[in-house]
Every structure is written in structure tokens, then in C-alpha cells.
Amino acid sequence: MTAVTAFTVDGEPLPFVPGQTLAAALVASGRTAWRTTRGGRPRGIFCGIGVCHDCLVTVDGAGGQRACLVQARPGMAVTTGEGDDA
């Protein structure tokens, strides 16, 4: 059996399997969008390889992090939504 641990997303714990990226853990939990465009269209993981900027999140206070590239670690504080492109 694979060990499961957690990080927080917008203050809520989110379990993940070691080796998962933040985006993989978000999608595994059923969350496919965590940002919106200026026009209100949902955005989440798109390319999955760090080329686009659709999956941006803030990790431990550092904005503009691509969720598809950041490996999940126990205790990380991740926030989503507007302002994550900073």
C-alpha cells in the first residue's frame, strides 16, 4: 500500500501520494479548475508540462508556481485563485 500524506489548499487538507505534483493531487481529488480568466472561464491543468500558465498557484507565499511542475510535500500551504500570477 502507498503512503498518503497531505498539504493544504486554501486552508483545507488535501491528501497526496508521494511523487505526485500539486496538479496531480488536485485532479485526483476531483478538482479540475482552480483559477479563472479575466472573462470568468475556468482554468486548471492544461499542458501538464510547464509550458502554459493555466495551473498557477501560490506555494508557501511564492506566487506564480506551476502546479504541474511542483512536487507535493507534506505541510505545504497552497493557495489558488486570483493573484497567483504574481
Side-chain angles (χ1 to χ4, degrees), residues 21-24 27 34 44-55 66-70:
T21 62
L22 297 176
V27 170
W34 47 89
I45 190 160
F46 179 69
C47 74
I49 59 172
V51 175
C52 74
H53 293 86
D54 281 357
C55 66
R66 292 178 183 102
C68 68
L69 296 179
V70 178

Side-chain angles (χ1 to χ4, degrees), residues 5-10 12-34 44-46 48 54-80 84:
T5 189
F7 60 92
T8 62
V9 178
D10 299 328
E12 297 294 321
L14 183 82
F16 71 93
V17 176
Q20 279 185 318
T21 62
L22 297 176
L26 284 159
V27 170
S29 75
R31 198 163 171 188
T32 58
W34 47 89
I45 190 160
F46 179 69
D54 281 357
C55 66
L56 295 179
V57 294
T58 297
V59 179
D60 294 330
Q65 304 297 305
R66 292 178 183 102
C68 68
L69 296 179
V70 178
Q71 191 166 18
R73 294 183 320 273
M76 289 176 111
V78 178
T79 56
T80 64
D84 288 329

